[in-house]
Amino acid sequence: MTSALPRTDRGRVLLVLALATLVTLFTATVPLLRDWFDLRVYYGSIDSWVHHGGRVYDYRVPGTPYGFTYPPFAAVAMLPMALLGLHAAIAVALLLNLAALAVVLRLLAGPDWRRHGWYDWTLITCLLVLFEPLRDTFSFGQVNLLLLALVLADATLLATGRGRLAGVGIGLAAAIKLTPALFIGLLLVAGRRRAAAVATAVAAGATALAAGVDPDASRFYWTEALWDTDRVGRLGYVSNQSVQGVLARLGEPDRAVWAVAVLLVLGVWALRTRRAAAAGDWTAAFALTGLAACLVSPITWVHHLVWLLPSFAVLVRAGRPRVAGALYGVLCTSMVWLWFDDASGVDGFLGSNTYAWITLGLLLWLPVGQLRPGLRTGSRSTSTTTAAPVPTAPAISPASLQTDPCTAAATAGGVVIAGRAGAGGAPSEPTASTFPADPKPQSSSERASSYTADPSPS
């Protein structure tokens, strides 16, 4: 099979052009059926607030019940949109997400990123376009990729021995959206109290700034909107791939059951992240925290699962590219939508929660502490002459310097893997491709919102 793949630069250019054409056609049709809906929520809320004297949390996209659900600081951070038209805001959002993706890939690849030339990175980009959470992040105009970049910046600071500067990214991310607040818990579990204090101070300062800008909006959010689950959406909607979503599709409304499940998840997370941090494996510690955050949040829409990207990088680094490729391939298929209408029965229980099972499996079995010999990232040295540790990165064989679609294989968080691809078949069409378009692409009047402030478990 590999003998038929291009070995010359000319052949590789032709292959890349063909793949780029297919990817362009795909992204210009299927994913963009989301029609930038979440971005239009942000833009409409800011426009109403700044130019029409409206309140941030009162705005609704015309013809829908959906409005702004993030903390007030998110609205303050989005204020520059008031200077733009809608189409300009869409263009800026695309550029910001592309920049965030580049930062995420760079941070996950570590110091070996220079080893890979244009061919490898082009193949990675084409594979990433197929990843359902990522393509939905772009086509909804979502913010999760930007938050992931902020959080991973702190992971890199810790991994390179510059922990004194860590915490700012996590604090900002937590002020914009509540889910990343669990990374403050990671810092506490890992014994990085200074970084935890910095993150908490930044988050509190940003929240206080928002309260100063619009006291009424802040009061409404923290006393009413945060606790009103109807503003978020229907918990049983198939896009909700959290523990709460699994229970809701089972018809289990008891919050006590959910609370017990959340405590179990957090217990596993605390044990495993403590072990990873003790080994200096900050990439794994942050990957595990992203997994746990997706599970314990009451709402984890499919596009929130960009937080799984670091887990694939860890699998590759641990020498498990086939596992990474297989799981990544499943997350490209949009298969949970096969149970959109009916999630009953054994097949519905297993199939409609596929992404949640993957997240849970990674939380339980993701390799931790398996660093290359002599590399303990973020460990404290007793020598004043020892060079600061470098970020973790997967070991890449020399063969990966001349890769092809099968031998450059599975991408895991943007890292090219030596070995044959483990990914499954070509992805099926996403959410709206098999159902009539609604005013909100991923929902009808009875379906859940595609965005959420991800209120903390209560």
Side-chain angles (χ1 to χ4, degrees):
M1 178 178 177
T2 56
S3 61
L5 295 171
R7 298 287 184 179
T8 64
D9 286 343
R10 181 175 182 275
R12 290 180 174 183
V13 168
L14 291 176
L15 175 61
V16 164
L17 288 175
L19 288 174
T21 300
L22 291 174
V23 165
T24 301
L25 291 174
F26 177 79
T27 55
T29 54
V30 178
L32 296 190
L33 291 175
R34 275 52 167 173
D35 196 28
W36 323 107
F37 186 88
D38 291 4
L39 180 63
R40 290 194 285 119
V41 170
Y42 310 151
Y43 182 85
S45 299
I46 299 303
D47 180 68
S48 173
W49 180 32
V50 173
H51 297 300
H52 304 288
R55 298 196 304 175
V56 173
Y57 296 101
D58 286 347
Y59 174 81
R60 297 291 185 272
V61 174
T64 79
Y66 303 110
F68 202 80
T69 60
Y70 291 167
F73 180 69
V76 174
M78 294 177 186
L79 274 174
M81 282 198 295
L83 303 175
L84 305 173
L86 176 59
H87 292 95
I90 290 172
V92 170
L94 276 173
L95 292 175
L96 287 175
N97 271 322
L98 285 171
L101 178 59
V103 170
V104 168
L105 294 181
R106 172 65 181 86
L107 295 176
L108 290 177
D112 289 333
W113 72 279
R114 294 181 183 275
R115 284 184 168 185
H116 309 294
W118 66 271
Y119 184 62
D120 289 350
W121 287 114
T122 303
L123 294 180
I124 289 171
T125 302
C126 291
L127 289 171
L128 284 172
V129 169
L130 303 179
F131 188 53
E132 184 179 2
L134 191 61
R135 71 187 188 228
D136 278 0
T137 292
F138 275 88
S139 58
F140 274 122
Q142 258 284 340
V143 300
N144 292 290
L145 200 56
L146 295 167
L147 304 184
L148 177 59
L150 285 172
V151 167
L152 287 180
D154 277 347
T156 301
L157 290 174
L158 292 168
T160 53
R162 292 176 289 174
R164 291 181 62 83
L165 302 175
V168 175
I170 291 174
L172 288 173
I176 292 171
K177 193 171 182 178
L178 297 184
T179 302
L182 187 59
F183 288 90
I184 300 177
L186 163 63
L187 297 175
L188 292 172
V189 168
R192 294 304 181 101
R193 293 182 175 81
R194 184 183 187 281
V198 170
T200 303
V202 169
T207 301
L209 173 64
V213 172
D214 192 334
D216 289 338
S218 293
R219 187 181 306 108
F220 176 78
Y221 177 80
W222 295 109
T223 61
E224 296 186 43
L226 176 60
W227 315 104
D228 183 2
T229 57
D230 291 338
R231 292 180 59 91
V232 180
R234 184 165 60 88
L235 295 175
Y237 182 44
V238 74
S239 182
N240 184 14
Q241 292 293 307
S242 68
V243 169
Q244 181 76 291
V246 174
L247 294 174
R249 284 186 287 277
L250 278 175
E252 177 51 70
D254 193 341
R255 280 189 170 269
V257 175
W258 172 69
V260 170
V262 165
L263 289 175
L264 290 173
V265 168
L266 291 177
V268 172
W269 161 77
L271 290 173
R272 303 212 71 215
T273 51
R274 182 186 293 274
R275 177 186 170 192
D281 191 353
W282 289 103
T283 304
F286 273 71
L288 289 167
T289 305
L291 295 168
C294 289
L295 289 170
V296 303
S297 173
I299 296 286
T300 296
W301 303 131
V302 168
H303 56 259
H304 294 166
L305 298 178
V306 292
W307 291 97
L308 271 61
L309 285 175
S311 298
F312 295 111
V314 173
L315 287 171
V316 175
R317 183 198 64 198
R320 302 183 185 182
R322 292 182 183 276
V323 175
L327 296 179
Y328 189 91
V330 173
L331 283 160
C332 291
T333 62
S334 301
M335 68 177 296
V336 296
W337 300 102
L338 295 174
W339 289 271
F340 171 81
D341 287 318
D342 183 8
S344 62
V346 175
D347 66 314
F349 175 68
L350 297 176
S352 68
N353 301 310
T354 299
Y355 296 172
W357 303 142
I358 290 175
T359 307
L360 180 61
L362 287 170
L363 178 68
L364 293 172
W365 293 297
L366 189 73
V368 300
Q370 298 185 16
L371 306 182
R372 290 183 294 173
L375 182 63
R376 287 178 60 83
T377 59
S379 58
R380 294 172 183 171
S381 173
T382 56
S383 170
T384 57
T385 59
T386 302
V390 296
T392 59
I396 302 175
S397 72
S400 69
L401 298 180
Q402 294 183 358
T403 52
D404 52 54
C406 286
T407 59
T411 190
V415 181
V416 175
I417 306 165
R420 193 176 296 273
S428 63
E429 295 178 331
T431 314
S433 61
T434 56
F435 301 96
D438 294 305
K440 176 171 173 43
Q442 204 175 15
S443 61
S444 69
S445 59
E446 296 180 352
R447 300 180 205 163
S449 168
S450 70
Y451 58 91
T452 175
D454 289 330
S456 55
S458 60

